[in-house]
Amino acid sequence: MQLEQLNFHHLFYFWRVARLGHLTRAAQELHTSQSSLSAQIRQLEERLGEALFVREGRRLVLTETGHLVQAYAENIFGLGQEMLGRLQGRSEGVVRLRIGSVATMSRNYQENLFRPLLGDAAVALTLESGPLEHLLERLAEHQLDLVLANEAVAADPRRPLHSRFLGSQPISLIGPARRWGGQRLRVPQDLGGLDIALPGPRHAVRSQFDALCMAAQVQPLVRAEVDDMAMLRLIARDSGWLAVLPEVVVQDELRSGLLCTVGQCPQLHEHFYAITTPHRHRIERLEALLQAAPALALAEQGGAGAAAPGALR
């Protein structure tokens, strides 16, 4: 059977009966007769060449094929409900949020931001990471609802996008507590000749850090350059070197006392932006999340040092 031969009206009726498990109740809900509903489901079964229900007393029970067709129908009509809800400015059924983030962004920051959604049974998340330009192309084509980045997007009338500032946090010098506990270093003045791991050249703060070292005529011994913040976290934890990174990346290690903050540079901050298309249809849960972003993205501060209220870590 070809797709154009599939009667989606019949499939919709099957979906309602499968959900309710009762032909009479489904007929009442659909404002049709029980015999008409039964006939349309039989036509669907004939087209598919498989039985979808078997009778057990007064109950209709899905066959193995029926369960498979129901799973696909849930996706088809669930997405239809979601589409209508989004177009009408409200949520209906499960809301799918498709979010991209640049590969250099802290996974801890993202988890702190998304944590309220993890316990929401009405939300299904799709998270992907990649180069900013690739994500922006997918956003412009409505394949993503939001892109998280650590830099704003330049204005371009050919591709109108909106960069919403979520907050910022200082970049810190982090070291193993067993060696650096209780010590403080000036950044960058005291870094000459010290083993250090840095964000890779693509990271938004790397050029700033290099410029500071050049101005201070300081040359640290760069042992690693890492784009991925999750990998930089592991290197900071296991190498014994100093590392330059946002504290949120190593929030758990700071809290446990495995790592400590050795210094900070007031000139270095990582900024966070939510990039959206300006005329996208409103997604209520996403709007609420972005409104609360500065508070939600706070790392749990136990063991990571004090922070001012509302300040990102």
Side-chain angles (χ1 to χ4, degrees):
M1 184 178 70
Q2 301 298 316
L3 181 60
E4 59 268 20
Q5 296 175 288
L6 178 62
N7 188 316
F8 283 89
H9 190 70
H10 294 167
L11 183 64
F12 177 76
Y13 277 11
F14 158 77
W15 177 59
R16 298 309 303 165
V17 173
R19 275 197 150 197
L20 295 171
H22 199 283
L23 195 64
T24 304
R25 285 171 53 198
Q28 291 170 347
E29 182 184 281
L30 294 167
H31 306 291
T32 189
S33 68
Q34 187 172 335
S35 59
S36 174
L37 184 58
S38 180
Q40 295 191 60
I41 291 175
R42 279 199 304 273
Q43 290 179 48
L44 177 63
E45 290 177 322
E46 290 169 3
R47 284 287 180 90
L48 297 176
E50 299 272 359
L52 301 175
F53 293 105
V54 293
R55 280 200 172 273
E56 291 186 1
R58 294 185 176 181
R59 293 176 60 243
L60 285 176
V61 178
L62 286 166
T63 64
E64 184 177 346
T65 299
H67 281 292
L68 179 63
V69 174
Q70 183 192 27
Y72 281 101
E74 286 284 354
N75 286 330
I76 292 168
F77 297 114
L79 283 171
Q81 285 185 325
E82 180 187 330
M83 178 193 70
L84 293 175
R86 188 173 293 189
L87 291 172
Q88 295 164 13
R90 58 185 171 79
S91 298
E92 187 168 330
V94 174
V95 177
R96 290 170 175 81
L97 298 181
R98 304 160 300 171
I99 300 172
S101 66
V102 294
T104 57
M105 180 167 284
S106 163
R107 302 299 187 267
N108 281 344
Y109 176 83
Q110 294 175 59
E111 185 186 16
N112 292 340
L113 181 66
F114 300 142
R115 188 170 290 130
L117 300 178
L118 301 182
D120 190 338
V123 173
L125 284 174
T126 297
L127 305 176
E128 62 178 84
S129 64
L132 179 59
E133 187 58 34
H134 172 69
L135 296 174
L136 294 181
E137 289 175 3
R138 289 176 54 73
L139 179 67
E141 294 169 358
H142 304 289
Q143 296 174 11
L144 292 173
D145 301 309
L146 170 74
V147 170
L148 293 174
N150 42 26
E151 58 184 293
V153 175
D156 184 349
R158 297 168 300 175
R159 188 176 63 182
L161 297 172
H162 176 64
S163 296
R164 179 172 181 168
F165 179 66
L166 298 179
S168 63
Q169 61 180 318
I171 301 298
S172 300
L173 184 67
I174 303 295
R178 65 182 183 276
R179 178 178 176 187
W180 295 101
Q183 299 186 55
R184 299 293 290 183
L185 295 178
R186 295 173 301 163
V187 180
Q189 294 91 330
D190 296 335
L191 301 185
L194 294 180
D195 293 332
I196 197 165
L198 296 175
R202 290 193 303 160
H203 196 282
V205 303
R206 176 60 188 275
S207 60
Q208 302 173 44
F209 177 79
D210 289 346
L212 288 173
C213 289
M214 185 176 296
Q217 297 184 328
V218 170
Q219 287 188 320
L221 183 57
V222 179
R223 300 295 302 275
E225 298 177 293
V226 187
D227 273 342
D228 185 86
M229 290 294 101
M231 179 57 70
L232 187 54
R233 165 182 168 265
L234 295 177
I235 289 175
R237 187 188 70 186
D238 299 333
S239 68
W241 307 329
L242 292 168
V244 174
L245 74 177
E247 289 188 8
V248 68
V249 174
V250 289
Q251 63 186 28
D252 296 333
E253 289 78 9
L254 290 172
R255 185 165 52 245
S256 69
L258 182 63
L259 296 173
C260 64
T261 301
V262 183
Q264 283 186 336
C265 183
Q267 298 99 314
L268 289 180
H269 283 77
E270 182 173 20
H271 305 294
F272 301 100
Y273 297 90
I275 303 172
T276 57
T277 53
H279 302 300
R280 65 189 169 86
H281 292 286
R282 181 181 177 89
I283 306 172
E284 294 176 0
R285 281 176 173 81
L286 188 56
E287 293 293 338
L289 186 74
L290 295 181
Q291 286 288 341
L296 293 173
L298 279 168
E300 297 177 14
Q301 296 172 13
L312 287 168
R313 297 184 68 82

